[in-house]
Amino acid sequence: MPVQAVVLLGVVVLSGIAIVRLASSWWKYRGRRVITCPENQRPAGVLVDSRHAAATALAGAPELRLSACSRWPERAGCGQQCLTQIAASPEDCLVRNILTKWYEGKVCASCSRPFGDIQWTGQKPALFLADKVSVDWGQVPADKLHEVLAASLPLCFACHMANTLVREHPELVVDRSASRPI
Ligand SMILES: [Zn+2]
């Protein structure tokens, strides 16, 4: 094999390895997370700077730093000691994974339909709060997630839509049960 071909092959292989490392680090550290703030021992919602983690992963272990925290700007100058929790178990504190485990094996509180595999990009399930209002879980701040989940029931997307329609546009809803002969 000519030398140029060997060099080209080497460049292609190394570039491929670099792209895989970059993409896997970015994927691993993206998304909202819930950690226990070492300062007050309370939950806080954080975002890891996944682009920085990916860029530094090319040189070795990814360097972690926060890009957002629910306790900022008041605690913006903190030492970010919570990063050790994320480094130790990046998947367990990811909001999406916490929710996936919470819905696992449950049925909709309204129609009793089992949730099965959650579709995170489309018709996402919702939460039925104690005050009978349903919300998309995206509306729940990460630092309140555990608290809200403990006081909520799981609701499927269809029932969430119906609940929202009844609440926001009661004039469009016909209550057939009221017109039935007694
Ligand atoms: Zn339902």
Side-chain angles (χ1 to χ4, degrees):
M1 195 186 283
V3 177
Q4 291 93 333
V6 173
V7 170
L8 187 65
L9 187 65
V11 168
V12 169
V13 169
L14 286 175
S15 302
I17 292 170
I19 289 168
V20 168
R21 277 184 78 97
L22 211 118
S24 67
S25 288
W26 174 81
W27 181 255
K28 189 175 178 181
Y29 293 109
R30 91 263 171 251
R32 297 194 298 156
R33 286 183 157 81
V34 185
I35 50 85
T36 302
C37 179
E39 194 268 331
N40 64 357
Q41 295 298 311
R42 300 266 310 142
V46 295
L47 275 176
V48 172
D49 187 344
S50 54
R51 283 197 292 187
H52 180 73
T56 53
L58 291 177
E63 186 184 297
L64 301 185
R65 70 183 186 196
L66 298 184
S67 60
C69 172
S70 58
R71 298 199 69 201
W72 291 0
E74 292 80 16
R75 302 285 307 170
C78 79
Q80 303 193 3
Q81 283 95 343
C82 62
L83 287 169
T84 55
Q85 296 169 41
I86 297 169
S89 189
E91 298 300 320
D92 287 344
C93 53
L94 197 60
V95 166
R96 178 183 291 211
N97 290 348
I98 293 169
L99 285 162
T100 301
K101 277 186 197 155
W102 190 74
Y103 283 108
E104 209 169 63
K106 288 189 168 77
V107 296
C108 172
S110 181
C111 69
S112 302
R113 208 175 302 161
F115 287 101
D117 291 336
I118 309 290
Q119 293 179 14
W120 296 110
T121 51
Q123 302 186 344
K124 291 180 291 196
L127 304 170
F128 197 47
L129 307 181
D131 58 4
K132 310 285 185 216
V133 172
S134 67
V135 293
D136 186 305
W137 59 263
Q139 293 171 253
V140 180
D143 56 325
K144 299 274 185 293
L145 187 65
H146 289 299
E147 197 182 313
V148 171
L149 289 182
S152 301
L153 292 170
L155 205 65
C156 75
F157 179 77
C159 291
H160 170 47
M161 287 294 108
N163 183 282
T164 306
L165 182 70
V166 170
R167 195 176 70 248
E168 294 179 1
H169 300 285
E171 75 282 0
L172 299 176
V173 180
V174 177
D175 185 359
R176 295 191 190 284
S177 64
S179 58
R180 255 182 231 145
I182 300 169

